[in-house]
Structures are given as C-alpha cells and as structure tokens.
Amino acid sequence: MTSQGGSPAESARPGIACPGGPGTLGGRTVARVGYGAMQLRRLRGDRDAAIALLRRAVELGVNHVDTAQYYGDGFVNELISEAIRPGDGVTVVSKIGADPNPAGPYPMRIAQRPEELAASVDANLASLDLDQIPVVNLRRPGIGNPVPVEDKQVVDLDDQLAAMIALREAGKIGAIGLSAVTLDELRRALPAGIACVQNAYSLLSRGDEDMLRLCAEADIAWVPYFPLGGAVPGFPKVTDDPAVAAAAESLRCSPAQAGLAWLLHHAPNVLLIPGTASVGHLEANLAAGALTIDAATLATLDAIPSL
C-alpha cells in the first residue's frame, strides 16, 4: 500500500457517498461508519473473498479501516495492504499493547512495555506496507481483558505515553489513540494529544457517558467496540432487546441497524467500525448510517436502561 492514508484534511472521494456523514479522526475527515477488520481472520481459507469484501467497503465510501497486527498473526494487515490502494484515501488505524501468540492458549499476548510498543508499531508498518500509520491506539489491558497479564506487563501509563509520543515524533505514527481506558487515564493522557478513544460501548452498555462527554468537549473521536454488545459474556446484546426490536420495526430496519444508528445520533463525535466477514452484512451496516431516527423513537431508545 505504501502510503500514509491520505492527507490530514482528506475526505471521502468525490462522487462517493460518505456512510454516516463526515467525522474527524486524527485531523482527517472520515466517514462516520467505517470498517473493523478483525473478522477478516475468519476468511483465511478464502483470501479472494476477503479482498473482495475490502474492495466493496471502499466502493461504498469506507475510508476508515481499523486493524491490528495480532488479528490473525498479521494476516488481516496483509489483506489490507493488498486490497487498499494509495488512491483510495483510506485512513488505516491500528492498535498495539498486545502481540500475536498463535501457539498459545490465546491468539495474542499482552505486550505493554515501551520497547514492545515500538516493536509492535514496526511490525504493523511492515505488514501494512506503510511509511506511517495515521492513528495507533494504545490498548490498555485493564478493562474487559480475558488474557492473563504478567507482572512485568503492568506498565505506568505515563511511560507508555512517552513511548507513543516518541513514535509520533519519529513519524512512524500520525496520531495517538487509547483503548480500554478509564476516565482517569484519559484525563492523564490529554496533554499528550489524543485523537480517539476505543472502549466497549453500546446502547445497552453506557457506563462511559462521562468519558464520552469529555471526548466530545476535547474534539476526540469516540470509536466504540462491541457497538451491538453480545460479543463476550457481560456485554448484553442490543439486538435481543424488545424495545430495540420495536424501534427497528417502526424505522423499517433491522435491530442491528437501529442500534448502530442510535450511536450515531447519540453524540456527534461517534465513529463506528462494525466488523463482519460478509459483504451483505457490510452493506447493511453501512446503510445504518443513512437512517434518520425521529424524536419519539430516539427518546424511547434513550430511555432503555444501561445494563
């Protein structure tokens, strides 16, 4: 791919719809509905299908793709490098804080030390064939993490931020993001210049409202993972909620589309990266960006308790 994901002010390509409308990420204008590439690892046996899915995403206006080196031990990054072209204007976002561990009990291992963060950025640069990764998220291990954390991997956030700033100054990354962080950690990190926060968040899991408000005030993108919940135990599934199903019926869409559309309506700094290995599901996710939720339905969805 060998590009830097487009110029900082670049928006969706002319003549192509911007799913969900425009948003801002690391100084770049991106579609508010992007694509999370983790599920592409399921297509290891059908590389052509994986490439076709990525190309279809670009055709439909996706210009924000989220990935990580530990997705399929570099396989997903290699797909992105092959499928996405410099002229596509796609902002590729990766994350560090864990490394591939294909022979272990989990497909990744926690890798939080500053030297490991730097090595992980280099690995991402190589597999993505990029000169610079536009945004890199530092994923902390403390929230919703099923992978064991060794004592040597308990690293002070300030030390990690110093490493991230050095990587940014070296030109290897364009902007710094955070993932799986607390409100206190975000506040501590603000002086470093934070482009986005990725935390688990959905219509039914709204425990981070204070952090979302802080991000909106500081012009930081809020990029929820598990946007429909249900991915792991403890995260309720949005599509199973009767009130969401009723709202979807009135909106003439699927419950999943209603859940995604609610996120876009809830705060202007929300960017979505729903993942899938299916072209049909991709198209449905992107179509959610065009939904308009009337005031009464929005109030009904807002009133659903956070679990």
Side-chain angles (χ1 to χ4, degrees):
M1 187 161 47
T2 315
S3 75
Q4 297 182 6
S7 64
E10 186 170 8
S11 60
R13 290 175 296 158
I16 296 180
C18 192
T24 302
L25 177 62
R28 294 168 166 79
T29 300
V30 298
R32 291 186 69 200
V33 185
Y35 176 66
M38 181 175 69
Q39 297 300 328
L40 287 179
R41 60 190 179 183
R42 294 164 47 195
L43 297 177
R44 186 178 288 275
D46 194 347
R47 192 181 190 94
D48 289 345
I51 297 296
L53 191 152
L54 284 166
R55 289 308 308 163
R56 182 61 177 153
V58 172
E59 290 169 3
L60 293 172
V62 169
N63 60 358
H64 168 202
V65 173
D66 183 86
T67 187
Q69 178 69 13
Y70 55 85
Y71 291 170
D73 191 14
F75 173 70
V76 171
N77 278 4
E78 292 167 8
L79 291 172
I80 292 169
S81 175
E82 181 177 343
I84 295 177
R85 303 156 189 165
D88 292 332
V90 173
T91 294
V92 176
V93 178
S94 193
K95 63 184 67 63
I96 57 177
D99 285 340
N101 188 30
Y106 298 91
M108 66 180 188
R109 64 172 185 84
I110 302 301
Q112 295 278 302
R113 300 196 307 273
E115 65 272 20
E116 292 174 308
L117 301 181
S120 185
V121 165
D122 287 340
N124 275 278
L125 286 167
S127 59
L128 289 167
D129 192 21
L130 286 174
D131 301 318
Q132 181 189 81
I133 305 169
V135 183
V136 172
N137 289 307
L138 166 63
R139 195 194 192 290
R140 297 278 286 176
I143 298 177
N145 171 52
V147 183
V149 182
E150 300 176 17
D151 289 344
K152 65 181 180 180
Q153 295 297 343
V154 179
V155 182
D156 186 79
L157 177 61
D158 291 341
D159 293 337
Q160 294 179 313
L161 290 171
M164 299 293 286
I165 291 169
L167 290 163
R168 187 176 60 194
E169 291 177 345
K172 292 186 175 184
I173 68 177
I176 299 168
L178 297 173
S179 180
V181 292
T182 65
L183 179 58
D184 178 65
E185 287 173 332
L186 174 59
R187 286 172 172 153
R188 287 173 57 194
L190 287 177
I194 302 301
C196 61
V197 170
Q198 283 191 7
N199 272 20
Y201 181 88
S202 75
L203 172 56
L204 299 184
S205 301
R206 304 192 304 274
D208 279 338
E209 287 295 287
D210 288 344
M211 199 182 322
L212 172 55
R213 281 191 288 270
L214 176 57
C215 285
E217 293 167 0
D219 293 323
I220 295 170
W222 181 258
V223 190
Y225 63 85
F226 301 160
L228 296 174
V232 296
F235 291 93
K237 195 171 183 179
V238 171
T239 53
D240 286 346
D241 189 273
V244 175
E249 185 174 357
S250 70
L251 295 170
R252 297 182 179 180
C253 68
S254 71
Q257 289 174 318
L260 294 175
W262 178 85
L263 287 164
L264 294 173
H265 283 72
H266 187 56
N269 61 322
V270 168
L271 303 179
L272 299 181
I273 48 169
T276 180
S278 158
V279 170
H281 194 188
L282 167 74
E283 293 172 349
N285 289 339
L286 297 179
L291 287 173
T292 298
I293 304 179
D294 60 89
T297 303
L298 186 60
T300 298
L301 292 173
D302 287 345
I304 295 175
S306 176
L307 302 177

